[in-house]
Every structure is written in structure tokens, then in C-alpha cells.
Amino acid sequence: MSLLMETYAPGVTYLDPFTWAATGTGLAIGLSVTGAAWGIFITGTSLLGAAVKVPRIRTKNLISVIFCEAVAIYGIIMAIIFQGKLSNYSKDGPDHKDFYSGFSIFWSGITVGFCNLFCGIAVGITGSGCALADAQNPSLFVKILVIEIFGSALGLFGIIIGIVQSTNAEFGK
């Protein structure tokens, strides 16, 4: 290791760069699935409660659950992208580029995970409102569905930012 790494950040560089990358990958998929589950829970409870009084809303409002499931898929896609960036580094041990790659994937995973966590919650709350509003007035379904699509875009923004953050992450080069 270089003198800069030994003096500047001994605590941060003590861990292997693969540990940072694997933690970021795990957080990306874990937080994304948590956001999807939370959104499905919020939407599902309102949907089932309103469907007792107005059964016609059951099938139409399942689109909200599908939007929440898409959040989990975003995390899986990013975990596959992050995993594809992992490769062995030289026999001499990790260098600056390897630590940069590990930290880059770690912070990309944090970004993607939290964006998808909040996206899942936003889509769940909006889907809940959509189900309850549709039970009261069927003409509101499409109007609130458009708002739900905008909430779902938060997850796509997180993916784009995660891809940009991890673009230059290359181990062993």
C-alpha cells in the first residue's frame, strides 16, 4: 500500500475493497426489497379494506402492487450490474483504483437502496390513496395513477445515479 493510504485513511483502507463493494451491493438489493415490501403492505391493506365495500376495485388497483414490485426489480438489476464489476486485483494487493472501485460501488449501493426504499414507500402511499379514491369515485383512478407513475420515477432516478456513480469502478486495472 502507498504511504498516502497508510497515513490518510488507515481505518477505511483496513477493509478489503471487495468488502465495501459487497456491502454496497447488499444494501442496494436489501433496501430496494424492503421499500417494495413496505409499499405492497401499505397498498395492499388499503386495497383489501376498500374492496370489502366495493369489490370492483380489486383487479384494477393491482397495478399499484406491480409498481411496488418493480422497485425490488430495480435493486436486483443494480446488484447484477455491481456484481459484474467485480474482478481480481493484482498479486501485490489492492491499489488506489481498487479502493476507489470498492467505495464507488458501496456509495452507489447506498444511493440506489435508499432511493428505492423511499420510492416504494411513496408508491405505496399513493397506491393506497388511489384504491380508496377509486372506491369513492371511479373517475379518479387514472388521475391518481399518473401521480403514482411520477412517484415510481424516483426509483429510476436512483438507478441512473447509481450507474453514473459506479461507471469508473474497475478492479484490477
Side-chain angles (χ1 to χ4, degrees), residues 16-163:
D16 191 18
F18 286 142
T19 303
W20 290 104
T23 303
T25 303
L27 285 169
I29 195 167
L31 291 172
S32 296
V33 169
T34 302
W38 202 343
I40 290 170
F41 172 72
I42 294 169
T43 299
T45 53
S46 295
L47 178 59
L48 290 176
V52 170
K53 181 93 172 152
V54 186
R56 67 169 172 76
I57 70 165
R58 283 184 306 210
T59 55
K60 189 166 51 166
N61 281 283
L62 283 178
I63 190 76
S64 300
V65 174
I66 293 169
F67 281 148
C68 290
E69 290 174 3
V71 172
I73 293 170
Y74 297 159
I76 293 169
I77 290 169
M78 288 307 295
I80 291 169
I81 291 172
F82 293 158
Q83 186 272 333
K85 293 181 176 290
L86 300 178
S87 63
N88 292 332
Y89 41 79
S90 67
K91 294 178 227 170
D92 300 332
D95 61 358
H96 291 288
K97 185 70 171 167
D98 296 323
F99 279 103
Y100 170 81
S101 299
F103 297 146
S104 174
I105 293 174
F106 173 76
W107 288 109
S108 297
I110 292 277
T111 302
V112 170
F114 277 109
C115 280
N116 286 332
L117 176 70
F118 298 135
C119 174
I121 294 169
V123 170
I125 291 170
T126 311
S128 172
C130 185
L132 296 173
D134 186 29
Q136 293 293 319
N137 184 357
S139 67
L140 294 175
F141 176 74
V142 176
K143 296 172 185 170
I144 298 177
L145 189 64
V146 171
I147 297 169
E148 192 170 357
I149 291 169
F150 287 124
S152 181
L154 293 173
L156 291 175
F157 293 147
I159 286 179
I160 292 168
I161 292 169
I163 289 172

